[in-house]
């Protein structure tokens, strides 16, 4: 969610920026629950200590009875002396909070008031209070038709959403309820902001923000309505009507209802052309302003919300004369030939990139029109001096390379040069290998410029392959010192920047998560040198590896964590796009029930889908549900290898815990995992790492069971276990269940069934039964 609004620049004066300071004391609930003093995190202690603070915080200012806290903290299984243990937790929490106070005075206090405890803190110090206040302001501004003010207030509110609130504490009932309430409030803010943006003609911002929200929440009719309106205003009427039909079918299939009156009214307005297609140009407040745009902005016209937006001038009208300080447009100065407005400017005046005609006939890229438009806009902005890096993220096989290749074809139609490099991990791969590939291509396409660079920097460019004939230069050089490495990287940066200054340049670096440390250092240095140069850098990376790298403080996360980095994240295809992909590759009309099986098993991942189709064999068998179901019962080798690579970036203790989880069936309790591991690993930390990497998920309702986000990962983990490992795990699971059965008199039959199921899974992990094929997925599940 937060990625959608990260790249937006609000209209603030320089004075406002100067007054932004770190608050002396702050309590954050978005993401992990954290207390900060002067920007320093306070030691709140282990999970249950933080849970106690969270349980008091969700009832801020109200007394929570001691017995109620005991029940909520230990879920009906309290320790031997629960009151004494609770008092110890309170004492620790008081010391932790007091450590952030001035001269021993705590800004937050946990006080005892009969019959329990109460948290006393100024609500202004809690980020969630600020979040709700900004949303209230935005809604009031919208009610009074102050649309730009409403947009800005709501954008600031959504920027506070650093992650799901109380991220690690949602296994506690009251905190889970608060998490759900805040999520609904966030969705309301997203919808309200979209309404404000539509009122001032920022349809592109609405479409970018609402596409992922509609995918995750297909029954939010107001969200769907705003997205339909945005698509229509951008001239994408067919997409808008198709979205309505998909939503109508989903509501009918899942809930047995028709769309509400509001959504039907939007549909009717689009059908009857009652929404104005022409909109005012995008204002500076809706896009990132660069240093190139030094010309003073024209005075903003007064808002007249009651009237429809004024149409933009017709293309035939002469444009106003540019001032002396106005930079020459990119289409006239940088491309090797002029670029027509039809190719690169949408109805709002924003830069877009349309795919070349006929390039989509092979069916290699389906269902990525929105992502392609967003990625193309980022690249064109960078070529205009946007000074940002663009990252394409997603799991292996989801189509990152195909998306960038489609982008490159569109750029080549504009005679824009694109050079490629692919990161490769392993022994024997030379330092700077991905950059060596880039420079080798540039040495061929721009030989004269390279001769000048070689004469200027000499041996500093030795680590690169300058021409195909020159071979590989000295990789590390004679001086391995940090200074020598920096000088080499500085020479590489200057060479790239000078080449881009002569002619705009797009550099694509694939599989950045596999890059060597020196290549990442060079990327980081180059990123800091981008100041309005016509150089666009596009990288692709596996999001699971990036998440693991981020939690380990690695170089990949540092490269992608810059505030100027723009992200395009690819998820699985929707069921409708999956049908189109199947039709393009098999020319077979697949029945709906078989389509649901294929989509559910592959999760819309194009590579996984092709692997499963190949496992079926004859495309004519795709109409036979039994044949497809039998083929889906196993995991193809290509899918196993892709998922295995996805898991290799995780720390060893996390993999150990995941292998244990894989033996426990489709859903399992955290305490059971802890019992089976027997203290051999930090289970809590490993589980949280797996959740953040998208491998595990926690149910939002009691008893908050854990499950694998993708059952294919579970099957691959089971298949990696040796016979001895399976026997040991089987014994550990049986022992843990027996101990729990002895400690609890309830549900003995359920526990015996769990033992039987676990034993069956461990007996033949490489051949899961047909019963493991997922149930039909609902529309928009991708």
């Amino acid at each position: 969610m937060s990625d959608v609004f990260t790249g937006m620049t609000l209209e603030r004066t320089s004075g406002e920026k100067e007054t932004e300071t770190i608050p002396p004391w702050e309590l954050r609930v978005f993401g992990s629950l954290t207390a900060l003093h002067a920007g320093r995190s306070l030691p709140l202690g282990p999970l249950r200590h933080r849970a106690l603070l969270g349980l008091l915080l969700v009832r801020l200012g109200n007394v929570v009875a001691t017995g109620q806290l005991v029940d909520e903290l230990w879920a009906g299984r309290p320790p031997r002396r629960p009151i004494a243990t609770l008092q110890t937790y309170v004492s620790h929490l008081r010391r932790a909070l007091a450590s952030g106070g001035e001269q021993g005075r705590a800004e937050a206090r946990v006080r005892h008031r009969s019959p329990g405890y109460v948290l006393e803190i100024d609500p202004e110090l809690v980020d969630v209070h600020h979040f709700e206040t900004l949303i209230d302001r935005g809604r009031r501004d919208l009610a009074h038709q102050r649309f730009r003010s409403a947009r800005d207030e709501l954008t600031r509110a959504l920027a506070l959403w650093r992650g799901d609130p109380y991220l690690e504490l949602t296994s506690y009932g009251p905190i889970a309820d608060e998490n759900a309430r805040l999520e609904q409030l966030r969705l309301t803010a997203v919808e309200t902001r979209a309404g404000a943006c539509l009122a001032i003609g920022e349809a592109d911002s609405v479409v970018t923000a609402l596409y992922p929200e509609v995918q995750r929440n297909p029954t939010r009719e107001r969200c769907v309505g705003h997205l339909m309106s945005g698509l229509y205003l951008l001239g994408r009427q067919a997409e808008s009507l198709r979205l309505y039909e998909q939503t109508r079918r989903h509501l009918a299939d899942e809930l047995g209802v028709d769309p509400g009156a509001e959504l039907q009214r939007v549909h009717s307005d689009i059908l009857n052309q009652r929404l104005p297609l022409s909109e005012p140009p995008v204002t500076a407040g809706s896009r990132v302003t660069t240093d190139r745009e030094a010309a003073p902005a024209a005075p903003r016209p007064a808002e007249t919300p009651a009237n429809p937006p004024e149409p933009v001038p017709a293309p035939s009208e002469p444009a106003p004369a540019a001032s002396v300080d106005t930079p020459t447009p990119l289409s006239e100065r940088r491309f090797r030939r002029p670029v027509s407005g039809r190719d690169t400017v949408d109805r709002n005046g924003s830069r877009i990139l349309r795919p070349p005609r006929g390039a989509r006939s092979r069916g290699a890229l389906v269902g990525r029109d929105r992502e392609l438009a967003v990625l193309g806009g980022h690249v064109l902005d960078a070529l205009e001096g946007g000074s940002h890096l663009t990252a394409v993220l997603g799991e292996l096989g989801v189509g990152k390379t195909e998306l960038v290749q489609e982008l490159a074809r569109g750029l080549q139609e504009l005679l824009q040069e694109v050079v490629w490099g692919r990161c490769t991990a392993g022994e024997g791969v030379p330092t700077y290998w991905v950059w060596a590939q880039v420079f080798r291509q540039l040495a061929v396409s721009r030989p004269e410029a390279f001769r000048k660079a070689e004469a200027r920097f000499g041996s500093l460019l030795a680590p690169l392959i300058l021409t195909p004939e020159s071979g590989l230069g000295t990789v590390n050089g004679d001086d391995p010192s940090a200074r020598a490495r920096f000088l080499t990287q500085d020479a590489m940066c200057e060479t790239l920047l000078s080449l881009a200054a002569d002619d705009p340049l797009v550099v694509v670096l694939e599989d950045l998560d596999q890059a060597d440390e020196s290549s990442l250092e060079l990327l980081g240095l180059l990123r800091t040198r981008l100041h309005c140069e016509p150089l666009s850098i596009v990288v692709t990376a596996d999001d699971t590896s990036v998440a693991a790298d981020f939690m380990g403080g690695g170089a990949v996360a540092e490269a992608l964590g810059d505030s100027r980095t723009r992200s395009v994240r690819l998820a699985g295809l929707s069921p409708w796009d999956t049908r189109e992909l199947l039709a393009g590759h098999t020319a077979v009309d697949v029945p709906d029930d078989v389509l649901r099986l294929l989509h559910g098993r592959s999760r819309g991942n194009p590579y996984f889908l092709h692997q499963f189709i190949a496992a079926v064999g004859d495309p004519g068998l795709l109409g036979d549900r039994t044949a497809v179901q039998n083929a889906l019962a196993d995991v193809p080798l290509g899918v196993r290898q892709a998922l295995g690579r996805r898991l290799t970036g995780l720390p060893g203790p996390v993999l150990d815990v995941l292998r244990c989880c894989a033996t426990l069936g489709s859903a399992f309790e955290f305490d059971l995992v802890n019992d089976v591991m027997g203290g051999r690993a930090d289970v809590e930390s490993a589980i949280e790492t797996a959740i953040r990497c998208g491998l595990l998920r926690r149910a939002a309702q009691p008893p908050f069971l854990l499950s694998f986000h993708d059952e294919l990962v579970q099957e691959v983990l089971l298949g990696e276990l040796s016979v001895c490992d399976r026997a040991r795990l089987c014994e550990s699971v049986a022992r843990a269940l027996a101990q729990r059965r002895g400690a609890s008199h309830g549900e003995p039959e359920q526990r015996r069934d769990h033992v039987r199921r676990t034993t069956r899974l461990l007996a033949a992990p490489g051949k899961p039964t047909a019963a493991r094929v997922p149930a039909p997925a609902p529309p928009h599940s991708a």
Side-chain angles (χ1 to χ4, degrees):
M1 169 59 224
S2 58
D3 291 346
V4 175
F5 298 96
T6 300
M8 297 184 179
T9 300
L10 301 179
E11 298 173 359
R12 298 183 184 178
T13 65
S14 59
E16 285 177 316
K17 292 181 179 178
E18 292 173 359
T19 59
E20 293 178 354
T21 58
I22 298 175
W25 209 95
E26 186 180 8
L27 196 59
R28 295 181 178 177
V29 305
F30 291 114
S32 297
L33 179 58
T34 309
L36 299 173
H37 173 59
R40 179 177 61 87
S41 178
L42 301 180
L44 296 179
L47 183 66
R48 279 207 172 94
H49 291 194
R50 300 197 301 275
L52 173 60
L53 178 59
L55 291 171
L56 295 173
L57 183 57
V58 297
R59 293 101 159 195
L60 183 61
N62 297 315
V63 177
V64 186
T66 301
Q68 184 176 355
L69 285 173
V70 169
D71 289 340
E72 292 171 352
L73 277 174
W74 285 282
R77 289 187 291 176
R80 184 175 302 175
R81 300 175 60 195
I83 302 301
T85 305
L86 178 62
Q87 290 171 348
T88 302
Y89 287 4
V90 170
S91 298
H92 175 89
L93 200 54
R94 285 170 173 167
R95 287 195 301 272
L97 296 176
S99 65
E102 297 293 338
Q103 299 178 352
R105 180 180 62 84
E107 296 287 350
R109 297 181 178 86
V110 180
R111 294 187 181 276
H112 179 268
R113 289 185 184 171
S114 182
Y117 294 92
V118 59
L119 176 65
E120 294 181 347
I121 182 174
D122 183 359
E124 294 293 335
L125 301 178
V126 186
D127 61 351
V128 72
H129 173 80
H130 190 39
F131 174 73
E132 296 189 61
T133 300
L134 288 171
I135 291 177
D136 288 340
R137 289 181 192 168
R139 297 174 75 173
R140 284 198 301 271
D141 286 341
L142 186 64
H144 291 86
Q145 299 185 350
R146 297 191 291 267
F147 299 118
R148 285 187 172 82
S149 176
R151 175 203 62 190
D152 293 347
E153 296 285 5
L154 292 165
T155 300
R156 292 189 182 99
L158 292 165
L160 293 174
W161 192 281
R162 305 175 184 89
D164 291 343
Y166 304 98
L167 182 64
E168 76 279 26
L169 303 175
T170 52
S171 59
Y172 297 89
I175 297 178
D177 294 340
E178 177 69 1
N179 177 285
R181 183 188 73 86
L182 292 173
E183 170 63 16
Q184 293 303 311
L185 187 60
R186 183 192 69 83
L187 288 171
T188 300
V190 170
E191 293 170 348
T192 307
R193 183 189 181 279
C197 289
L198 287 173
I200 57 178
E202 295 181 358
D204 54 343
S205 172
V206 171
V207 171
T208 301
L210 292 191
Y211 246 116
E213 297 296 345
V214 169
Q215 288 287 327
R216 288 190 291 265
N217 304 279
T219 59
R220 298 281 298 200
E221 295 188 30
R222 178 163 296 177
C223 196
V224 173
H226 286 333
L227 178 55
M228 288 173 58
S229 300
L231 289 169
Y232 175 80
L233 292 174
L234 292 177
R236 296 156 67 179
Q237 178 177 337
E239 288 183 61
S240 179
L241 295 175
R242 185 163 60 247
L243 174 61
Y244 176 82
E245 180 60 22
Q246 291 173 357
T247 304
R248 185 194 65 77
R249 290 169 53 188
H250 180 73
L251 291 172
D253 293 343
E254 296 297 315
L255 304 175
V257 298
D258 292 327
E262 182 179 350
L263 187 58
Q264 291 186 31
R265 185 166 56 252
V266 173
H267 181 240
S268 176
D269 288 344
I270 292 174
L271 284 177
N272 293 286
Q273 308 288 313
R274 286 198 289 262
L275 292 179
L277 271 174
S278 299
E279 299 175 53
V282 178
T283 63
S286 66
R287 60 186 174 93
V288 177
T289 304
T290 67
D291 295 338
R292 289 182 179 276
E293 296 162 334
R300 181 182 299 161
E303 295 183 13
T304 55
N307 300 322
E310 293 292 330
V312 296
S316 59
E317 296 181 12
S323 65
V324 175
D325 296 330
T326 303
T328 307
L330 176 67
S331 59
E332 299 175 10
R333 185 166 66 89
R334 295 208 191 104
F335 282 105
R336 299 182 184 180
R337 69 171 174 84
V339 180
S340 67
R342 178 185 63 82
D343 289 332
T344 58
V345 179
D346 68 2
R347 294 179 179 272
N348 289 318
S350 300
R351 306 285 292 178
I352 63 171
L353 183 67
R354 302 190 186 281
R357 295 185 182 276
R360 307 291 290 277
S361 60
R362 296 185 305 277
L365 190 71
V366 172
R368 300 300 189 195
D369 291 340
R370 180 188 69 87
E371 291 86 351
L372 181 61
V374 172
L375 178 60
H378 290 340
V379 169
L380 291 175
D381 285 347
L383 290 174
E384 286 188 319
S387 306
H388 60 262
L389 174 77
T390 302
V392 181
L393 305 175
E395 68 177 3
L396 290 169
V398 81
K400 301 184 293 294
T401 298
E402 288 77 6
L403 181 69
V404 179
Q405 287 175 344
E406 192 76 22
L407 168 77
R409 282 191 284 270
L411 290 170
Q412 288 162 1
E413 275 209 341
L414 306 178
L415 299 184
Q416 168 61 52
E417 184 176 12
V418 182
V419 292
W420 295 72
R422 183 166 187 171
C423 305
T424 304
E427 296 183 4
V429 178
T431 308
Y432 301 116
W433 171 239
V434 65
W435 293 104
Q437 299 170 59
V438 169
F439 276 69
R440 181 167 58 183
Q441 296 172 56
L442 290 172
V444 174
S445 63
R446 305 185 184 188
E448 184 62 31
F450 250 95
R451 279 194 290 271
K452 293 179 181 179
E454 190 175 12
R456 179 183 178 189
F457 295 109
S459 61
L460 288 175
L461 296 179
L464 303 176
I465 302 175
L466 298 182
T467 65
E469 294 80 16
S470 65
L472 182 63
T474 303
V475 174
N476 295 318
D478 297 329
D479 186 357
S481 66
R483 181 175 182 273
R485 187 170 65 252
F486 174 80
L487 291 176
T488 294
Q489 293 171 1
D490 175 69
M492 297 176 187
C493 288
E494 288 300 317
T495 301
L496 278 173
L497 293 174
S498 64
L499 290 172
D502 292 339
D503 201 350
L505 182 61
V506 178
V507 177
V508 178
L509 308 178
E510 289 193 80
D511 298 333
L512 191 69
D513 50 291
Q514 303 293 314
D516 61 275
E517 183 177 353
S518 298
S519 293
L520 291 171
E521 287 179 357
L522 173 56
L523 177 62
L525 182 62
L526 180 60
R527 201 175 69 251
T528 63
R529 301 282 184 89
L530 292 176
H531 298 292
C532 302
E533 286 81 1
L535 174 62
S536 176
I537 303 173
V538 180
V539 302
T540 70
D542 174 22
D543 53 1
T544 302
S545 299
V546 170
D549 184 86
F550 176 78
M551 283 177 282
V556 176
E558 182 179 353
L560 301 183
D562 187 89
S563 59
R564 294 182 299 173
T565 298
R566 301 186 183 180
S567 298
V568 178
R569 189 173 299 277
L570 297 187
L573 298 175
S574 69
W576 296 275
D577 293 329
T578 301
R579 182 185 293 279
E580 182 180 350
L581 187 64
L582 284 169
H585 283 268
T586 66
V588 175
D589 187 12
V590 180
D592 289 344
D593 56 344
V594 173
L595 173 67
R596 285 193 290 267
L597 283 176
L598 288 167
H599 179 265
R601 186 70 161 151
S602 66
R603 293 178 298 98
N605 183 303
Y607 175 72
F608 292 179
L609 184 64
H610 291 318
Q611 290 288 309
F612 282 118
I613 293 174
V616 174
D618 184 1
L621 295 176
L622 290 174
D624 184 347
R625 177 186 173 89
T626 302
V628 172
Q629 194 164 4
N630 290 336
L632 297 184
D634 202 357
V635 181
L637 178 61
V639 177
R640 286 186 179 276
Q641 292 175 336
L643 293 176
R645 177 182 165 187
R646 184 182 182 190
L647 295 168
T648 54
L650 297 173
V654 177
L655 279 174
D656 290 340
V657 172
L658 283 175
R659 292 188 184 103
C660 172
C661 294
T663 67
L664 298 177
S666 58
F668 43 89
E669 300 174 2
F670 169 81
D671 289 342
L672 180 58
V673 181
N674 203 22
D675 292 343
V676 174
M677 292 301 297
R680 296 195 301 273
D682 185 352
V683 175
E684 180 182 333
S685 175
I687 292 291
E688 294 303 323
T689 298
I691 290 175
R692 294 183 186 182
C693 289
L695 297 171
L696 293 179
R697 57 187 171 191
R698 183 185 287 112
Q701 301 297 328
F704 308 107
L705 296 178
L706 297 166
S707 61
F708 278 87
H709 192 272
D710 181 3
E711 68 169 7
L712 293 174
V713 173
Q714 183 179 14
E715 294 175 25
V716 169
L717 287 165
L718 285 171
E720 292 177 347
L721 293 173
S722 66
V723 175
C724 294
D725 289 338
R726 289 200 298 270
R728 280 194 295 268
L729 273 175
C730 186
E731 182 180 354
S732 298
V733 171
R735 186 186 308 114
L737 290 172
Q739 290 173 351
R740 300 186 76 187
R741 186 167 62 247
S744 173
H745 298 292
E747 302 177 343
E749 180 58 34
Q750 178 182 349
R751 298 187 183 281
R752 284 196 295 270
D753 180 67
H754 200 155
V755 173
R756 289 195 297 268
R757 184 172 63 251
T758 301
T759 305
R760 187 166 60 250
L761 281 173
L762 290 172
K767 299 289 289 184
T769 63
R772 294 178 61 79
V773 177
H780 292 281
S781 62

